[in-house]
């Protein structure tokens, strides 16, 4: 059997950037509730909401 090397990418090279954001407690509680009901992780849910927001925002 041929031993093939395990190839991995360095963290951060997946197109994502780790940031810190302050969120009000009630907003976080709502996010957690929606994440629990929808079976998405909090991170996945926040990314879905942010993507929708930046693609549908109107500045007046």
């Amino acid at each position: 059997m041929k031993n093939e090397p395990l190839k991995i990418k360095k963290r951060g090279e997946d197109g994502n950037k780790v940031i810190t954001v302050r969120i009000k407690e009630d907003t976080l509680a709502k996010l957690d509730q929606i994440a629990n009901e929808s079976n998405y992780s909090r991170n996945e849910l926040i990314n879905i909401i942010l993507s929708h927001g930046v693609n549908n925002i109107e500045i007046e």
Side-chain angles (χ1 to χ4, degrees), residues 22-33:
R22 293 177 187 257
I23 300 176
K24 293 186 178 190
E25 288 183 22
D26 61 328
T27 302
L28 184 58
K30 290 176 187 176
L31 280 170
D32 287 340
Q33 179 182 358

Side-chain angles (χ1 to χ4, degrees), residues 13-57:
E13 293 184 6
D14 61 356
N16 292 309
K17 183 77 174 173
V18 176
I19 62 168
T20 302
V21 178
R22 293 177 187 257
I23 300 176
K24 293 186 178 190
E25 288 183 22
D26 61 328
T27 302
L28 184 58
K30 290 176 187 176
L31 280 170
D32 287 340
Q33 179 182 358
I34 295 167
N36 186 44
E37 291 175 9
S38 65
N39 216 20
Y40 281 98
S41 71
R42 181 194 292 164
N43 182 67
E44 290 172 316
L45 183 60
I46 290 170
N47 275 288
I48 290 168
I49 292 168
L50 284 173
S51 179
H52 177 78
V54 299
N55 290 317
N56 294 287
I57 194 166

